[in-house]
Amino acid sequence: MRVDNYASTDEQAERMKEACRQRITESGCTLVDGVLIDTAREITGGQDTSMPDPSDRKHTAVYQLSFRSL
């Protein structure tokens, strides 16, 4: 899954990206509505991407999750 974090500054985008990374990578071995998330790992770290509007910033990360229905 790809997660894009948009913010007004690089620092804000980085903080949001890190909060998402922690939440996603710590979701392994979690049961959610009858679905078990077996593993969750980060594939690519945050990538700073310039936006058409120079006042906007975007950080992108890609994750891989393995899950199954119980």
Side-chain angles (χ1 to χ4, degrees):
M1 122 177 82
R2 185 177 99 181
V3 178
D4 296 326
N5 294 282
Y6 298 88
S8 299
T9 67
D10 277 332
E11 292 78 20
Q12 290 171 334
E14 179 66 30
R15 280 194 304 272
M16 286 191 297
K17 180 194 66 73
E18 180 59 25
C20 289
R21 185 191 70 75
Q22 286 181 340
R23 185 76 180 246
I24 293 168
T25 58
E26 292 173 1
S27 69
C29 299
T30 302
L31 185 62
V32 181
D33 290 332
V35 174
L36 177 64
I37 301 172
D38 289 313
T39 61
R41 67 184 185 105
E42 188 173 23
I43 301 298
T44 64
Q47 300 171 349
D48 181 13
T49 307
S50 296
M51 299 298 295
D53 181 348
S55 65
D56 290 334
R57 304 304 299 166
K58 178 176 95 168
H59 282 229
T60 299
V62 177
Y63 302 90
Q64 180 180 27
L65 284 79
S66 299
F67 50 91
R68 57 191 151 127
S69 179
L70 294 181

